[in-house]
């Protein structure tokens, strides 16, 4: 049983490091944290080194990033590892979602790679996964997961969001994450669901 399940997480304090160098992800997490009045700073702003994501799972990579940031900044740190899991591709790109975008983080290229890999396949189902990891400088950690199911469209639609959002249409909607307003996405996304679990576990 994890600390999160017992509801015995230590307090975060007034300042939290968002352990990410992805500006879109940092902005989305900052919006989700706004109601809690925390002072947030990104790993990029603190000039923290970005650790290599060597984990085989979303949870392992999230913990790796959160623990590295907490140690370096001597502050509680929150990391997110998330990705697109495509059924017909055996779960790819999965934990390698960012790597499919190449060193320039070109997600137009990444989406084209997904579409090319799906050629000749009728199953367009996919889901986004998000794992949030909290780490404290003393070594304590907790993780929280969220998921949203949907299907992939082509060509991509919409200018909102980031990453694979313009090609992902969540179940029950006729618009992609790239087409809906950010406030709507923040209320239903995989990241929002992981945050809901995190908030429920905080003291």
């Amino acid at each position: 049983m994890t600390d999160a399940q017992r509801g015995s997480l230590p307090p975060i304090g007034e300042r939290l490091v968002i352990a990410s160098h992805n500006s879109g992800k940092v902005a989305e997490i900052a919006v989700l944290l706004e109601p809690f009045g925390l002072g947030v700073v990104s790993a990029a702003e603190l000039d923290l080194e970005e650790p290599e994501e060597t984990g085989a799972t979303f949870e392992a990579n999230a913990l790796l990033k959160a623990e590295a940031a907490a140690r370096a900044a001597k502050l509680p740190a929150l990391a997110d590892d998330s990705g697109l899991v495509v059924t017909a591709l055996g779960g790819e790109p999965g934990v390698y979602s960012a790597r499919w975008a190449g060193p320039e983080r070109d997600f137009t290229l990444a989406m084209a790679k997904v579409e090319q890999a799906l050629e000749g396949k009728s199953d367009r189902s996919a889901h986004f996964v998000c794992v949030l990891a909290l780490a404290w400088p003393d070594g304590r950690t907790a993780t929280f997961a969220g998921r949203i199911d949907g299907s992939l469209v082509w060509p991509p639609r919409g200018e909102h969001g980031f990453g694979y959002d313009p090609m992902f249409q969540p179940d029950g909607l006729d618009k992609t994450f790239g087409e809906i307003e950010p406030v709507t996405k923040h209320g239903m996304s995989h990241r929002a669901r992981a945050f809901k679990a995190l908030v429920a576990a905080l003291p």
Side-chain angles (χ1 to χ4, degrees), residues 74-86:
K74 296 181 173 55
L75 288 167
L78 176 67
D80 159 305
D81 199 60
S82 53
L84 179 69
V85 178
V86 182

Side-chain angles (χ1 to χ4, degrees), residues 76-143:
L78 176 67
D80 159 305
D81 199 60
S82 53
L84 179 69
V85 178
V86 182
T87 307
L89 301 184
E92 291 188 334
V95 295
Y96 303 110
S97 292
R99 294 182 207 179
W100 277 40
E104 301 301 320
R105 300 288 175 95
D106 183 350
F107 279 94
T108 299
L109 172 65
M111 287 187 286
K113 285 183 178 179
V114 170
E115 183 61 22
Q116 184 177 17
L118 282 172
E119 187 175 354
K121 303 180 189 300
S122 59
D123 186 355
R124 307 282 299 185
S125 64
H127 60 272
F128 272 125
V129 172
C130 170
V131 174
L132 296 172
L134 266 174
W136 287 260
D138 64 6
R140 284 179 287 184
T141 62
T143 59

Side-chain angles (χ1 to χ4, degrees), residues 9-31:
L9 293 182
I12 291 177
E14 296 181 356
R15 199 162 185 237
L16 178 70
V17 178
I18 301 176
S20 177
H21 290 70
N22 180 321
S23 59
K25 186 178 291 188
V26 168
E28 193 164 296
I29 292 174
V31 168

